[in-house]
Amino acid sequence: MPGRSLLMKPIQAPGHRLSTFGTLAFVAAALPLAMTATAATAAGAPSGVVVQTSTSAAPAPGAALAVGSGKGVLLQLGAPATAVFVADPDIADVHVPNPQAVFVLGKKAGTTTLYALGANNKTLLQRTVVVNTDVAYLHDLLATRFPALTLHVEAAPGSLLVSGQVPSAADADAVVQTLTPYLHDKEALINRLSVTQSLQVNLHVRIAEVDRSVTQQFGVNWSAVGGMWGNFIGGMLSGRTIQDPTTGIYQLPSSNAFSTLLGFKAGQTSIQALIDALDQEGLVTMLAEPNLTSMSGETASFLAGGEFPIPVSQSGSTSGAIGVQFKQFGVSLNFTPTVLADNRISLKVNPEVSQLDPTASVTTNGVTIPGLSVRRLSTTVELGSGQSFAIGGLLTSDSSDTLSALPGIGTLPVLGKLFSSRSFQDKKSELVVIVTPYLVNPTAGNRLRTPLDTLIAPSGDIEYGFQRTLGIDPLSGDTPRLVGAAGFVY
């Protein structure tokens, strides 16, 4: 065989090789002893060793000899052998304790050929040796660890197949983990286990955020300019710009504050005072409740929001070409459920809430790229079906108090208010994320309803107008409807 060495073990006496006549003489003298030793060996063979006796001088070719990996088979020959060898010594090895006995040792899964030659190169034994994993031991191991399961293991060269039915994905994983250490190099485990009931997990996530802001501003803006003596002028400017110097249009405050204007003008003297006052409170609440269903061990994703474009320069372009990429924002959810024993659920959850934030925008080359305000978390929890867990909470509080005043005068009890400006801001936000998994099963389609099933639209504009006038919700299912031969006369 090209590319494969033959393992040949000739029968030798200690110190010299036996001749043909010497071998025959030795065999004739030792035959009674060999038969006695053979019977004793067969009767008291150690565990893991199978004794087989070859009665014919040349057994039929193709009779396969099955040997477990790491185990051996002892063969008895009908005549003394002068040479014993196997085609592939990496699959099986042979030992010759006496001229009429051959011990075959299985090393790794595969198929090879065993030959035993006698006097005048006469073929005493030709067998195909098939080495497989010891499936009997694996069956006993699985029966001990999983007595309630019916599992079957089959071995083939280079692979090990396990089949059967298990009640859950966790049991299937436990069976695979039990068999994996018994795989040899480059052997693959073929998993043909079937789960009797497909486990599906519905995840209900509640994302609640409350954002409260308080803004208070009070300031006096001065613009007093007038001629003093000759070509000299004097005045006082404070605060923001009151009037556009080119168009003469009065400027509104950027904070949406209410402004009160007072002014006096005589000749070259102009005095203007603009009082900005603002007392603002804002309350923003957001509640997102995404629901998503996935099989055990599979990842599911959800996005309720949109995408906004981002200009990106093209790599390798010498003309400075600009491309566009889109980035997602909104409420997104990625989760991977794994059903464990006793219907416990292991959840890997990645919720994210993002929204466009103009204050974090970036302007480059005349293009304004909006920023994002992101609240993101990633965690793994374990809980039962129907149980809830608060996997994230965030409480932030930002406050600022700014006072701008004219030194000296600004500290006076009453008059100082006219030469000072005060701004106070207080912002608080709280975010909570609560997850609740459920083990669910499919149901009939007629048992499922959509929001449109309970939506009843008004029959016409007049009915809609009267309902709005009477304060009746036209989208409510309890709103009365005209049925039969009834209607309006126009």
Side-chain angles (χ1 to χ4, degrees):
M1 269 185 199
R4 177 174 292 181
S5 61
L6 298 179
L7 177 62
M8 179 177 293
K9 294 194 175 181
I11 308 302
Q12 296 181 357
H16 65 279
R17 181 179 179 89
L18 295 177
S19 64
T20 303
F21 295 100
T23 301
L24 294 177
F26 171 78
V27 170
L31 184 58
L33 297 178
M35 294 178 60
T36 305
T38 301
T41 304
S47 176
V49 177
V50 180
V51 179
Q52 297 184 6
T53 303
S54 177
T55 58
S56 61
L65 174 65
V67 183
S69 178
K71 293 193 174 183
V73 176
L74 184 61
L75 301 178
Q76 299 294 338
L77 302 179
T82 58
V84 179
F85 55 88
V86 292
D88 190 348
D90 293 334
I91 295 178
D93 197 2
V94 293
H95 298 279
V96 184
N98 60 70
Q100 287 187 249
V102 177
F103 181 76
V104 183
L105 174 65
K107 299 175 67 176
K108 72 173 186 178
T111 303
T112 185
T113 305
L114 169 65
Y115 272 91
L117 302 179
N120 300 324
N121 292 329
K122 182 180 180 180
T123 302
L124 301 179
L125 177 67
Q126 177 186 353
R127 300 288 291 273
T128 299
V129 181
V130 180
V131 180
N132 289 324
T133 305
D134 189 1
V135 294
Y137 171 76
L138 296 180
H139 276 127
D140 295 339
L141 177 63
L142 294 178
T144 303
R145 290 194 175 185
F146 310 98
L149 303 180
T150 302
L151 304 174
H152 182 68
V153 180
E154 296 180 6
S159 65
L160 187 66
L161 183 143
V162 56
S163 60
Q165 291 185 345
V166 293
S168 65
D171 293 331
D173 183 68
V175 173
V176 171
Q177 295 299 326
T178 301
L179 296 177
T180 300
Y182 295 93
L183 297 176
H184 298 283
D185 294 339
K186 297 182 180 180
E187 277 191 340
L189 179 61
I190 303 175
N191 184 2
R192 297 299 302 270
L193 297 173
S194 60
V195 181
T196 56
Q197 180 181 3
S198 61
L199 299 177
Q200 302 181 72
V201 179
N202 175 266
L203 185 65
H204 176 64
V205 180
R206 287 177 290 171
I207 304 174
E209 182 180 17
V210 178
D211 191 345
R212 182 176 182 271
S213 61
V214 176
T215 303
Q216 294 178 347
Q217 291 181 352
F218 184 84
V220 180
N221 305 285
W222 286 96
S223 177
V225 179
M228 298 180 62
W229 300 279
N231 295 328
F232 293 95
I233 60 174
M236 182 182 67
L237 302 174
S238 67
R240 63 181 181 84
T241 303
I242 298 177
Q243 193 174 11
D244 192 332
T246 58
T247 62
I249 300 176
Y250 289 97
Q251 301 293 320
L252 296 176
S254 59
S255 60
N256 297 327
F258 291 89
S259 301
T260 302
L261 177 63
L262 298 175
F264 172 79
K265 185 175 183 180
Q268 296 182 353
T269 301
S270 175
I271 301 175
Q272 292 181 337
L274 190 64
I275 301 175
D276 293 335
L278 175 63
D279 190 355
Q280 186 181 42
E281 292 188 13
L283 180 63
V284 178
T285 61
M286 182 190 65
L287 177 64
E289 296 190 18
N291 286 270
L292 207 56
T293 302
S294 175
M295 293 187 62
S296 176
E298 300 294 332
T299 301
S301 59
F302 170 90
L303 173 64
E307 296 182 344
F308 65 94
I310 299 177
V312 178
S313 60
Q314 298 292 333
S315 59
S317 176
T318 58
S319 60
I322 301 296
V324 176
Q325 292 183 355
F326 289 87
K327 185 174 181 61
Q328 297 178 347
F329 70 96
V331 179
S332 64
L333 173 65
N334 297 304
F335 85 103
T336 304
T338 302
V339 181
L340 307 177
D342 299 329
N343 288 334
R344 301 286 295 178
I345 304 173
S346 175
L347 281 178
K348 184 177 181 181
V349 192
N350 299 279
E352 178 180 315
V353 180
S354 59
Q355 60 187 12
L356 298 178
D357 187 4
T359 61
S361 61
V362 178
T363 302
T364 174
N365 296 329
V367 179
T368 301
I369 304 174
L372 286 177
S373 175
V374 181
R375 281 81 70 199
R376 179 189 301 118
L377 61 93
S378 176
T379 185
T380 302
V381 295
E382 180 181 333
L383 63 170
S385 177
Q387 295 180 340
S388 298
F389 216 116
I391 63 173
L394 175 64
L395 176 63
T396 59
S397 178
D398 299 328
S399 62
S400 63
D401 192 357
T402 305
L403 175 63
S404 301
L406 182 65
I409 300 178
T411 59
L412 297 178
V414 178
L415 188 62
K417 296 294 183 180
L418 299 177
F419 299 92
S420 64
S421 177
R422 190 182 189 94
S423 176
F424 171 77
Q425 289 185 348
D426 186 13
K427 184 177 182 180
K428 296 181 180 180
S429 64
E430 184 173 3
L431 174 66
V432 177
V433 179
I434 302 175
V435 296
T436 306
Y438 299 94
L439 289 176
V440 295
N441 295 315
T443 184
N446 55 6
R447 299 183 60 184
L448 301 177
R449 305 181 67 183
T450 66
L452 297 179
D453 296 338
T454 57
L455 180 62
I456 301 177
S459 60
D461 295 338
I462 297 181
E463 182 183 3
Y464 182 80
F466 275 109
Q467 288 172 344
R468 291 298 297 271
T469 304
L470 298 175
I472 302 175
D473 185 4
L475 302 181
S476 175
D478 299 332
T479 302
R481 294 286 184 267
L482 297 177
V483 297
F488 295 92
V489 179
Y490 298 95

